[in-house]
Amino acid sequence: MSNQTEEKVGSSRADRELSFMVNDFNIPDGTEEEWRFTPLERIEDFFAEDAPASVPEVSVEGELELETVGRDDSRLGALQPPEDRTGALAWEAFRTAYVLTIPEGKKIEHESAITVAGSGSEDVAALHMLIDAQPMSEATVVITYTGEARLAEGVEINVQDGAHLTYVTVQDWDDTAAHTLSHRIRIGKDATLRHIVVSLGGDIVRVTSSVEYTAPGGDVDLLGAYFADAGQHLEHRLFVDHNHPKCRSNATYKGALQGDDAHSVWIGDVLIRPEAVGIDTYELNRNLVLTEGARADSVPNLEIETGEIEGAGHASATGRFDDEQLFYLESRGIPEDEARKLVVRGFFAELINQIGVTSVQDKLMAAIEKELSLTLGSSDE
């Protein structure tokens, strides 16, 4: 277990401070780039120095076993350190951690389903997990969060050489939950990761996902879908560090928003270092604003330090219903409310089909249908 601190200064994402120690990070005041969109007053208790008191209930279904280990387990903390204060809090405060290992060369046919159930406590809870996909292994891991909780969490995802992992996290919290989640990801030689984030519930959800490579041939797809209701804050921050040649990354996030003060934030940062020749990367964020009073912030960033690459690009767009699409559907005799629903379904359809995990696709589509029936079914906009 490492206690390393990496102090860096500068404007590049490569210069961000990384540390396992809470006190190496100042309590944010909202002027910092990494916190400027976050409603800090709603998670003030996540910045305290005191260790969290409560612990959520964690269970697993499937072929793989979930180990419970102590802080001194040498497998923990071997990846990159946390990049903000809540990530460091989650690291310092957990008492026991959970480790899911996909054995070397093993192909797991059926998904392993982990459930994290909030206890309803008003205290901040801490949780730490390690997902270790050993060389040449293959598996799908789905983590679902339910109930009421205030949870600071860190998840290390180690995809070793030649491994193929699909990792899905579904934030299906009750309305008052708060969740800060730090994904720290390492990709080995010729390894592939499909990393999928689905955010539906909770009062405030903030997910940071940082990717680094250990060798050429690493391949990462970062997919995300979210649906923000009135008062909800759903924030997703990505950082892909292309630090080896001939690797690939692709990020596609789509979200819909409805209701007063519904707020989504998507930040996509990609760094292409001088040594990362021959890489290919692209990031895309699309937001569909369904009602007045909702707001989507979207900031894609590319930092390129070598021109010897296969490709690099980004795109971002936020808009309301396409009037031409609605007119076309209505001209074919489809009622306005149903036409609006069809547009939203179409907006999400391509992304949902990319997920590739039937249970998650069904859950996401059911959640979208529920939201549409509650709002668009009675819309007169």
Side-chain angles (χ1 to χ4, degrees):
M1 180 175 63
S2 172
N3 283 319
Q4 72 187 95
T5 299
E6 299 180 15
E7 293 189 12
K8 304 177 182 180
V9 293
S11 59
S12 170
R13 286 287 283 142
D15 298 325
R16 74 202 191 285
E17 183 175 13
L18 304 174
S19 177
F20 288 96
M21 309 295 290
V22 169
N23 288 332
D24 285 336
F25 299 95
N26 294 326
I27 296 176
D29 61 15
T31 61
E32 305 84 356
E33 173 60 31
E34 65 268 33
W35 292 106
R36 66 189 179 101
F37 293 112
T38 310
L40 299 177
E41 70 280 359
R42 288 155 68 175
I43 54 169
E44 286 181 337
D45 48 345
F46 282 71
F47 303 119
E49 296 181 18
D50 297 335
S54 62
V55 180
E57 180 180 345
V58 181
S59 60
V60 65
E61 293 182 6
E63 184 176 339
L64 299 174
E65 294 185 2
L66 194 64
E67 297 178 71
T68 302
V69 301
R71 293 189 59 89
D72 58 349
D73 191 293
S74 62
R75 294 169 294 179
L76 304 180
L79 308 189
Q80 55 187 295
E83 60 183 275
D84 61 33
R85 188 176 175 95
T86 58
L89 172 71
W91 171 262
E92 282 198 349
F94 77 83
R95 300 166 183 172
T96 57
Y98 297 91
V99 177
L100 188 76
T101 302
I102 301 101
E104 182 172 355
K106 182 76 170 179
K107 181 177 181 179
I108 309 297
E109 297 289 344
H110 301 289
E111 67 189 60
S112 296
I114 300 174
T115 300
V116 178
S119 65
S121 171
E122 295 183 358
D123 295 323
V124 176
L127 182 63
H128 189 82
M129 289 191 193
L130 167 63
I131 311 298
D132 186 13
Q134 297 189 344
M136 307 306 293
S137 64
E138 185 173 343
T140 296
V141 177
V142 180
I143 304 180
T144 302
Y145 299 86
T146 63
E148 296 286 348
R150 301 185 67 77
L151 178 62
E153 180 181 14
V155 177
E156 297 179 275
I157 302 172
N158 191 19
V159 189
Q160 299 190 42
D161 295 353
H164 302 286
L165 176 66
T166 297
Y167 170 89
V168 186
T169 173
V170 182
Q171 282 64 241
D172 197 21
W173 294 107
D174 291 348
D175 290 343
T176 61
H179 188 195
T180 61
L181 172 57
S182 168
H183 289 137
R184 303 194 288 280
I185 303 164
R186 179 174 291 171
I187 308 297
K189 179 178 175 59
D190 298 327
T192 64
L193 171 67
R194 291 175 62 79
H195 180 275
I196 300 157
V197 177
V198 178
S199 296
L200 302 170
D203 175 57
I204 176 170
V205 171
R206 188 178 193 268
V207 183
T208 61
S209 303
S210 296
V211 178
E212 64 180 5
Y213 300 84
T214 66
D219 191 309
V220 178
D221 282 301
L222 301 164
L223 306 177
Y226 47 92
F227 205 125
D229 279 322
Q232 263 190 305
H233 178 91
L234 304 180
E235 182 168 344
H236 304 90
R237 290 177 169 266
L238 313 179
F239 175 48
V240 181
D241 187 351
H242 276 285
N243 55 343
H244 280 272
K246 297 187 181 301
C247 293
R248 173 189 170 276
S249 67
N250 180 79
T252 302
Y253 272 61
K254 287 189 174 184
L257 303 89
Q258 64 182 14
D260 290 341
D261 296 323
H263 189 199
S264 71
V265 176
W266 182 87
I267 309 295
D269 289 319
V270 175
L271 169 63
I272 304 172
R273 295 181 186 266
E275 60 269 28
V277 298
I279 68 95
D280 188 18
T281 182
Y282 194 81
E283 53 181 349
L284 169 70
N285 180 229
R286 292 279 188 264
N287 297 287
L288 185 58
V289 179
L290 304 179
T291 65
E292 298 290 344
R295 171 186 167 190
D297 288 296
S298 179
V299 184
N301 299 298
L302 271 174
E303 187 176 352
I304 304 174
E305 297 180 346
T306 176
E308 299 180 33
I309 59 177
E310 291 294 324
H314 60 69
S316 171
T318 299
R320 298 179 61 82
F321 285 108
D322 187 320
D323 291 336
E324 290 187 3
Q325 284 183 307
L326 289 176
F327 176 77
Y328 175 82
L329 293 170
E330 290 180 64
S331 69
R332 295 299 186 270
I334 299 175
E336 180 182 357
D337 290 342
E338 186 59 32
R340 290 173 179 270
K341 293 179 183 179
L342 288 172
V343 170
V344 177
R345 294 187 192 110
F347 173 76
F348 279 107
E350 181 180 1
L351 175 64
I352 292 174
N353 291 335
Q354 290 183 59
I355 290 174
V357 181
T358 302
S359 62
V360 176
Q361 292 178 166
D362 292 345
K363 186 179 189 66
L364 178 55
M365 185 55 72
I368 291 170
E369 293 292 339
K370 179 181 178 181
E371 298 295 347
L372 293 179
S373 66
L374 291 174
T375 300
L376 296 184
S378 59
S379 175
D380 59 3
E381 292 187 25

